[in-house]
Amino acid sequence: MRLLVKRAKLMLFQCGAQISRRPFSGMATGSQFHRLATATATKTVATGAQQHDLDTDSHLRETTIRQNQAATSPLTDSFGRHHTYLRISLTERCNLRCDYCMPAEGVPLQPKSQLLTTEEVLHLARIFVEQGVRKIRLTGGEPTVRRDIVEIVAQLKALPELEHVGITTNGLVLTRLLLPLQRAGLDSLNISLDTLRKDRFERITRRKGWERVIAGIDLAIQLGYRPKVNCVLMRDFNEDEICDFVEFTRERPVDVRFIEYMPFSGNKWQTERLISYSETVKIIRERFPDFQALPNGPNDTSKAYAVPGFAGQMGFITSMTEHFCGTCNRLRLTADGNIKVCLFGNKEYSLRDALRSDQCTEEQLIELIGSAVQRKKRQHAGYATVDIRQQHLLHPHQKPLLHMRNYSNLTHIDAQGKAKMVDVAAKAQTTRVATAEAFVQVGERLTALIAANELAKGDVLSIAQLAGIMGAKQTSQLIPLCHNIALSSVRVQATLLEAEKCVRLEASVRCTGQTGVEMEALTAVAVAALTVYDMCKAVSHDICITNVRLLSKSGGKRDFQRQ
Ligand code: SAM
């Protein structure tokens, strides 16, 4: 055993040496040392046992080690709650002004210098993950107003031990941002939507954008997410939409969660506006008698329910009437770098100041986090003031509006949120022409080789030209919702611009039909450009395809001419 401890010490020394090259680093703590020594001992003792026993033993040991780690982790509080979930607020700013959340004039904003930079967010996130956080949710303010949101998601996803990165958003800009976020690795998204009625949305948020939020939800579904839709229930605002939201889950694979209205300073909170969980379930059961509870995970804040046969499900976040403090595994990091151990607590500790101080080592920063976690109370006090007993007397039994349009106006999505092609049968047959261009920057050497027609693979320009024509004819096979159009002509020109060291491709496509051919022209130049790349890549990979763009189109509802 002494030998093993010695070996562990050596490993620790090597480890420490590596860590100390990072800023704010420190040597491993005593508990880290203990963990390492135990893990090393465990590994050696197990050698030589039979495979089955070894697997079972090592599984048990891993579980024990994990439990020991959790018990000694700075993220475990004095009530034994191990915090594996971190919510990071990326900004105080928001592009909506929901009246229960923010005053009409907005909140006073701190100077940018006080807010965490991208590097600081990622630095603190790494420390939390090294101490045991496995899930991070980005929130705000509105997290999507921060320009580095995609980069932050991508960098968080690069942390090997982090299992899940999610975002809570008002959904206003998802149609623009969700694809890049998905490419960056975003695992899940919660979209806030308190009403299925456009006019009410504009009233409560004091802004336009309801259609965009609905389109964002539809897009999330199309991209394979099962979004959570967060709805704060408020008496005299949306209580008559409770069953409409249940209806919303009939065809859509979404998880609508009703949040109990919470008291925050400045939101003019009134007890009587709270609609409790039990009251809501009662209202739903009057219309959906088989509305039933589903099993919940150990740290779920939401109580899951569903109507059998519906594509989506419902949930209740009962922060006010049935708090879930006993299983709370959440910590919060504010946009200005404070750790907050409870949403309802006033106590915050600045990690930003520690991070920016030359004197603070990473070990001391971890100690600071640990001492904040240790001060977490057994439960929050916010709900104690609410007398919910009167709530049941108040609700009106209004009939849901079943025929309301809840779907987006996206032309490529049907009433079930599924992709569809646009029906062009009613459109007039006209002559349609579209022209597009693209450039391939090839550099000096390749320019000379193309000019002399000396590339080993053959004549780049004429093969690219042919590829462009073939590409245009394949457009409907490549672009999911494009029509299969009978083209009357496709002309592709490939020109070497020697001075600019690039190949210019131009495609002009024509048809007589009910829909345009801009996608055909763009596909033609894109495929021709890729062909140039393919012909040249044996000589150099320093080739760049640029400015794939439409130059003009005519014959449809809206003509276009690039200036
Ligand atoms: N801007 C993002 C959004 O709209 O989702 C993230 C921040 S927002 C403050 C996070 C969530 O808190 C939203 O779902 C919002 O509805 C909810 N919320 C805000 N004020 C609330 C209140 N007084 N009671 C209950 N939930 C509230």
Side-chain angles (χ1 to χ4, degrees):
M1 184 66 186
R2 215 181 303 147
L3 190 70
L4 293 170
V5 171
K6 216 168 166 186
R7 198 182 297 165
K9 268 184 180 163
L10 180 68
M11 283 169 65
L12 197 62
F13 175 74
Q14 289 161 346
C15 234
Q18 267 173 21
I19 293 168
S20 67
R21 278 197 288 273
R22 294 181 190 150
F24 309 103
S25 69
M27 287 296 286
T29 60
S31 62
Q32 281 172 315
F33 173 75
H34 172 76
R35 287 204 294 273
L36 194 54
T38 322
T40 312
T42 310
K43 211 171 172 187
T44 313
V45 172
T47 319
Q50 290 197 335
Q51 191 58 43
H52 174 75
D53 292 345
L54 194 140
D55 287 349
T56 318
D57 285 358
S58 77
H59 176 72
L60 278 171
R61 265 185 227 108
E62 267 170 34
T63 311
T64 315
I65 290 168
R66 232 179 289 129
Q67 281 166 351
N68 286 343
Q69 281 175 346
T72 56
S73 162
L75 300 189
T76 300
D77 68 12
S78 53
F79 302 98
R81 290 171 298 200
H82 184 47
H83 296 80
T84 55
Y85 183 178
L86 177 68
R87 288 175 177 231
I88 303 179
S89 171
L90 289 181
T91 176
E92 301 165 317
R93 287 185 298 136
C94 188
N95 41 9
L96 294 183
R97 290 286 178 276
C98 301
D99 76 353
Y100 59 89
C101 187
M102 235 190 220
E105 65 283 6
V107 287
L109 298 176
Q110 302 194 57
K112 201 168 169 220
S113 60
Q114 302 295 307
L115 304 180
L116 293 180
T117 62
T118 316
E119 290 71 32
E120 287 169 336
V121 169
L122 295 169
H123 189 145
L124 288 173
R126 173 182 60 75
I127 291 175
F128 275 98
V129 171
E130 283 172 0
Q131 298 309 312
V133 161
R134 294 293 171 262
K135 177 172 177 180
I136 288 182
R137 175 166 298 285
L138 301 174
T139 177
E142 171 51 38
T144 58
V145 303
R146 215 171 132 144
R147 288 222 185 106
D148 53 0
I149 177 84
V150 175
E151 188 195 339
I152 288 177
V153 170
Q155 300 276 347
L156 289 177
K157 287 301 291 179
L159 295 172
E161 287 169 297
L162 186 61
E163 291 161 8
H164 191 107
V165 177
I167 184 175
T168 298
T169 170
N170 59 29
L172 268 192
V173 296
L174 279 179
T175 45
R176 176 169 60 79
L177 260 191
L178 190 53
L179 209 52
L181 283 170
Q182 187 177 48
R183 281 198 207 109
L186 185 75
D187 294 298
S188 69
L189 72 165
N190 294 3
I191 303 169
S192 303
L193 181 68
D194 301 320
T195 174
L196 296 172
R197 302 182 191 186
K198 185 170 175 259
D199 57 330
R200 283 190 182 175
F201 177 92
E202 290 174 9
R203 205 167 76 224
I204 194 137
T205 66
R206 303 174 175 120
R207 296 286 185 275
K208 294 195 185 305
W210 179 85
E211 292 96 336
R212 277 191 280 152
V213 180
I214 295 282
I217 295 171
D218 287 340
L219 180 65
I221 296 168
Q222 272 203 306
L223 293 179
Y225 289 102
R226 188 182 168 99
K228 290 180 175 154
V229 175
N230 288 343
C231 168
V232 181
L233 281 182
M234 285 159 281
R235 200 171 306 286
D236 296 332
F237 175 65
N238 57 4
E239 64 199 308
D240 56 343
E241 292 188 60
I242 290 173
C243 290
D244 298 344
F245 272 104
V246 180
E247 272 298 330
F248 194 75
T249 67
R250 186 188 287 273
E251 304 286 354
R252 278 190 173 88
V254 295
D255 184 357
V256 172
R257 286 122 46 97
F258 287 134
I259 305 179
E260 285 178 343
Y261 179 54
M262 290 186 284
F264 289 135
S265 50
N267 75 351
K268 299 194 210 100
W269 189 69
Q270 299 147 321
T271 315
E272 63 273 15
R273 288 198 78 186
L274 169 78
I275 306 176
S276 71
Y277 152 59
S278 57
E279 180 185 354
T280 313
V281 171
K282 235 169 117 192
I283 293 174
I284 296 173
R285 287 228 167 103
E286 277 167 26
R287 183 160 146 61
F288 302 97
D290 49 358
F291 186 61
Q292 57 185 244
L294 303 173
N296 295 302
N299 294 109
D300 285 352
T301 46
S302 170
K303 297 174 173 57
Y305 277 76
V307 178
F310 279 24
Q313 66 181 65
M314 304 294 299
F316 296 88
I317 301 183
T318 60
S319 332
M320 302 306 297
T321 61
E322 288 185 24
H323 70 83
F324 30 83
C325 302
T327 55
C328 177
N329 67 341
R330 289 152 173 74
L331 296 173
R332 292 181 155 76
L333 186 60
T334 63
D336 55 351
N338 288 352
I339 178 173
K340 205 168 153 61
V341 293
C342 174
L343 178 63
F344 289 85
N346 299 326
K347 285 260 161 46
E348 297 184 3
Y349 307 86
S350 178
L351 302 183
R352 177 204 63 204
D353 293 348
L355 196 58
R356 290 182 186 178
S357 140
D358 291 342
Q359 269 89 55
C360 187
T361 64
E362 190 155 306
E363 191 179 15
Q364 286 166 332
L365 196 54
I366 295 166
E367 273 169 23
L368 184 60
I369 294 170
S371 63
V373 172
Q374 282 304 307
R375 291 196 187 111
K376 182 161 172 166
K377 299 233 165 60
R378 182 192 289 274
Q379 65 186 46
H380 68 71
Y383 59 93
T385 54
V386 184
D387 182 356
I388 57 135
R389 282 167 299 179
Q390 292 168 13
Q391 303 303 313
H392 303 282
L393 305 175
L394 291 168
H395 77 78
H397 295 234
Q398 289 178 327
K399 289 264 178 286
L401 281 176
L402 282 178
H403 303 298
M404 189 174 44
R405 180 181 165 81
N406 296 333
Y407 293 93
S408 68
N409 290 326
L410 291 180
T411 52
H412 290 57
I413 293 175
D414 68 11
Q416 277 74 47
K418 305 259 165 52
K420 68 163 194 213
M421 271 170 95
V422 177
D423 185 350
V424 294
K427 289 192 183 179
Q429 297 255 1
T430 53
T431 299
R432 292 158 184 265
V433 185
T435 305
E437 71 176 353
F439 294 83
V440 189
Q441 303 286 342
V442 291
E444 195 159 339
R445 187 157 162 236
L446 276 165
T447 300
L449 288 168
I450 296 170
N453 200 4
E454 280 177 1
L455 270 164
K457 284 195 179 175
D459 179 352
V460 176
L461 299 181
S462 41
I463 293 176
Q465 203 172 359
L466 188 60
I469 296 169
M470 291 169 68
K473 292 197 287 184
Q474 292 297 317
T475 304
S476 66
Q477 304 289 313
L478 298 172
I479 313 293
L481 303 176
C482 270
H483 291 81
N484 185 3
I485 298 172
L487 304 178
S488 5
S489 85
V490 180
R491 283 191 307 111
V492 178
Q493 282 175 304
T495 316
L496 180 68
L497 305 177
E498 291 191 49
E500 288 87 358
K501 299 180 192 60
C502 75
V503 176
R504 178 175 182 272
L505 302 148
E506 183 178 309
S508 190
V509 181
R510 176 185 291 267
C511 81
T512 303
Q514 292 159 307
T515 185
V517 281
E518 68 197 90
M519 291 309 300
E520 283 68 14
L522 285 162
T523 305
V525 292
V527 171
L530 284 170
T531 304
V532 173
Y533 182 96
D534 185 46
M535 300 283 290
C536 298
K537 69 183 193 301
V539 176
S540 166
H541 289 106
D542 188 12
I543 300 170
C544 187
I545 298 173
T546 64
N547 287 352
V548 179
R549 58 189 189 168
L550 183 70
L551 292 177
S552 64
K553 75 178 189 106
S554 61
K557 217 164 36 179
R558 280 177 300 131
D559 288 354
F560 171 81
Q561 180 65 53
R562 189 173 292 283
Q563 298 305 317

